[in-house]
Amino acid sequence: MSRRALITGITGQDGSYLAELLLGYGYEVIGLVRRTSSVSSDRIAHLVDRLTLVPGDLLDESSLTSVLSEYRPGEVYNLAAQSFVQASWTQPVLTGEVTALGVTRMLDAIRHVDPGIRFYQASSSEMFGKVVETPQTERTPFYPRSPYGVAKVYGHWITVNYRESYNLHASSGICFNHESPRRGLEFVTRKVTHAAARIKFGLQDSVALGNLDSQRDWGYAADYVIAMWMMVQQDEPGDCVIATGETHSVRDLCEIAFNHVGLNWQDHVVIDERFIRPAEVDLLIGDPSHAEERLGWKPETTFRDLVAMMVDADLATLRQYN
């Protein structure tokens, strides 16, 4: 009998890559989707006939209990969240309900339906926020600088609490920024690569950005979902930083993306104060040594190759429709 996994956030970037990975490993994959008039399934369109999509909502514990009771997954990957940091300032309560309390609802549903289910929580480097040490490890104190970061800290610690209080196999991957051609256009990496492609085709002249000096540890999402799966397979649960150990600025991102299409980024990038956060996170860089030692995991894709991949994908899409 094949293994069965439930993924929340399956229509998102990480959910789509994780679904691909698990299907490749012979899993039966159940995807939790909110009951709306239409499901945004572009990222999983090539997989949808191999998935079982079921209605459920992290705001409604009874729906989670029903799904777990009916489908009896052996593994649950909680990737769903209000995950856009900028939006968490305009929707702080919703962010808390989904990104923080939603984790509790799922853990509590697991505890009541089947405490033997293995659980993965998608924690975030935004929990470190105003960093107190560099690089950041599993032991670095949290100092979140946005409602999103605060909500993720709650989700992280409630996972630890349920693991220790109820002996659940519950683990958190503290993922640093991870990108791909499937990244949403609202995120700075995709915003830059998409703009570079559009400007190359003469479809726009410039792109407005915020803090160019902001530095992040950027990796490839398809690499990171492998680490997520590896964490759930361990005999003992635990938490791992998932990162590349390298940092790059938004300015570096712009330079690589525009150079890839033969353009000078300085001719096309303009600063717009609207895109500067109320409380900025200036530098995030993770130490992935624990993940390497515990899981045998290393990122495979370089930052330069990742940016080039994203620009090429945006160029290909624009060629298709123009």
Side-chain angles (χ1 to χ4, degrees):
M1 181 178 176
S2 66
R3 289 183 286 182
R4 184 178 297 161
L6 173 70
I7 302 174
T8 74
I10 194 167
T11 60
Q13 170 189 255
D14 293 6
S16 68
Y17 282 113
L18 180 61
E20 280 181 347
L21 181 76
L22 296 181
L23 288 170
Y25 288 163
Y27 278 71
E28 180 183 348
V29 178
I30 315 298
L32 191 77
V33 294
R34 283 176 295 171
R35 192 187 294 277
T36 57
S37 56
S38 63
V39 176
S40 176
S41 57
D42 291 350
R43 295 183 183 93
I44 57 169
H46 62 300
L47 304 172
V48 74
D49 60 342
R50 302 168 62 195
L51 304 171
T52 301
L53 300 181
V54 299
D57 200 314
L58 290 177
L59 299 178
D60 176 21
E61 186 172 336
S62 66
S63 72
L64 305 180
T65 300
S66 295
V67 170
L68 294 177
S69 298
E70 180 174 355
Y71 291 94
R72 296 286 174 172
E75 301 170 8
V76 171
Y77 296 84
N78 185 43
L79 309 186
Q82 191 301 101
S83 59
F84 185 43
V85 175
Q86 194 76 25
S88 76
W89 290 104
T90 56
Q91 297 180 304
V93 175
L94 176 64
T95 299
E97 284 285 356
V98 177
T99 307
L101 292 177
V103 186
T104 312
R105 295 185 187 102
M106 180 60 84
L107 284 165
D108 216 45
I110 287 171
R111 179 171 74 91
H112 285 106
V113 173
D114 180 3
I117 292 171
R118 295 190 173 202
F119 177 78
Y120 172 86
Q121 165 61 13
S123 288
S124 168
S125 60
E126 289 288 332
M127 300 188 304
F128 296 120
K130 187 177 181 180
V131 298
V132 298
E133 67 178 4
T134 299
Q136 293 86 57
T137 73
E138 294 78 8
R139 295 168 298 283
T140 301
F142 300 136
Y143 195 148
R145 298 272 280 172
S146 68
Y148 170 77
V150 172
K152 279 293 186 182
V153 169
Y154 177 97
H156 181 85
W157 279 118
I158 202 67
T159 301
V160 173
N161 272 249
Y162 269 66
R163 177 169 75 218
E164 295 178 350
S165 300
Y166 302 114
N167 199 31
L168 298 185
H169 194 295
S171 301
S172 286
I174 307 174
C175 289
F176 281 64
N177 294 66
H178 45 290
E179 318 297 320
S180 75
R182 300 178 193 173
R183 193 56 142 155
L185 288 170
E186 68 272 23
F187 292 87
V188 68
T189 45
R190 182 75 194 292
K191 183 177 180 180
V192 168
T193 64
H194 189 67
R198 284 181 57 84
I199 292 168
K200 179 65 175 178
F201 281 124
L203 299 173
Q204 69 186 63
D205 297 320
S206 63
V207 59
L209 301 174
N211 181 11
L212 298 184
D213 295 320
S214 183
Q215 297 181 66
R216 292 290 183 274
D217 183 329
W218 275 303
Y220 179 33
D223 290 344
Y224 283 37
V225 298
I226 297 171
M228 297 175 190
W229 176 80
M230 286 178 164
M231 290 181 69
V232 174
Q233 309 316 306
Q234 300 305 303
D235 290 338
E236 297 295 329
D239 307 323
C240 285
V241 164
I242 305 174
T244 70
E246 298 180 1
T247 189
H248 301 274
S249 68
V250 176
R251 185 177 282 101
D252 295 337
L253 166 67
C254 294
E255 183 176 357
I256 294 170
F258 280 86
N259 279 351
H260 192 65
V261 292
L263 297 173
N264 183 348
W265 71 271
Q266 292 170 308
D267 295 335
H268 303 284
V269 173
V270 297
I271 306 302
D272 189 328
E273 297 292 326
R274 292 177 301 164
F275 298 117
I276 296 178
R277 299 179 190 175
E280 183 58 89
V281 175
D282 295 318
L283 171 63
L284 291 173
I285 178 170
D287 177 357
S289 58
H290 181 60
E292 182 178 350
E293 293 164 9
R294 182 166 177 252
L295 310 176
W297 178 85
K298 281 185 177 181
E300 299 292 333
T301 309
T302 67
F303 178 67
R304 187 171 292 275
D305 287 346
L306 171 62
V307 176
M309 175 200 311
M310 293 174 68
V311 173
D312 286 341
D314 283 320
L315 288 170
T317 300
L318 290 170
R319 283 192 195 98
Q320 183 180 349
Y321 292 106
N322 289 280

